[in-house]
Structure formats: structure tokens, C-alpha cells
Amino acid sequence: MGVLALKNNINGKQYVQGALNLEALENKMKFLLNGGLFVNNSQLQKDWTEYGSDAFSFEAVTIIYDQENQYINYRQEIKKAEQAYLSKTDVEFY
């Protein structure tokens, strides 16, 4: 679990999203983008369609490890990590 960045290697823009399962998120995003169904961000979908999947790369930018602690709200920790990445990174986002 953590934060996944989808990077456009042509224009440098990134789309960032957190999830409890990063592998599942990557697979879902690829499926939706390849099918032209990514409604979360129309500009990202446009660029994916225009440049093709080879112009993009996925990177887990933050990993949150399971601490097996029932009192940790992992969804909240993912949101915090997402916001921290967005605020500290000097790149353009979708």
C-alpha cells in the first residue's frame, strides 16, 4: 500500500493516487487508460491516447508497510502520504 505515480515521460506531468494495493491500482489504471475509460482525469486520458502506453511509467513513490496494528487507519495514512508527495515534489501534476 502507498502512493503510485504515473509519469508522462514526454511532458513530465504526473498523476498521483494512493491505494491499499498498488499492484491492483496499476492494473486498473492500465485497463481503464487502454480502453479510453479513465474518467478521473481527461487530460491524462488524452495524453495516454495520443502518446501511447510506452510514453508512461509507473512508480511507487511512497510505500506504507503493514504494521499489523488495528488502531492505524491505513486509508488515512495513504491520504497523508499522497498530500506529502504532492506538496514536496517540484513537478507538474495532472
Side-chain angles (χ1 to χ4, degrees):
M1 72 186 103
V3 179
L4 185 69
L6 173 56
K7 298 181 180 185
N8 182 326
N9 299 319
I10 293 175
N11 63 20
K13 289 184 181 180
Q14 294 184 22
Y15 177 81
V16 176
Q17 186 172 341
L20 292 170
N21 184 328
L22 294 178
E23 184 178 352
L25 176 60
E26 181 177 338
N27 290 335
K28 177 183 177 182
M29 289 175 68
K30 284 179 182 176
F31 176 80
L32 292 172
L33 287 163
N34 286 329
L37 304 169
F38 195 78
V39 295
N40 291 3
N41 191 295
S42 60
Q43 185 60 49
L44 171 59
Q45 179 65 68
K46 181 180 175 286
D47 286 354
W48 183 278
T49 303
E50 181 178 338
Y51 301 129
S53 62
D54 290 340
F56 292 84
S57 57
F58 287 87
E59 180 184 350
V61 293
T62 305
I63 302 290
I64 299 172
Y65 296 99
D66 186 356
Q67 299 176 26
E68 298 184 18
N69 181 336
Q70 66 182 5
Y71 300 108
I72 295 176
N73 181 337
Y74 288 105
R75 291 184 194 280
Q76 187 175 31
E77 294 302 311
I78 290 167
K79 282 290 179 201
K80 284 184 205 173
E82 214 176 285
Q83 290 304 315
Y85 182 76
L86 291 170
S87 67
K88 75 176 182 178
T89 306
D90 187 29
V91 298
E92 188 176 353
F93 295 98
Y94 280 104

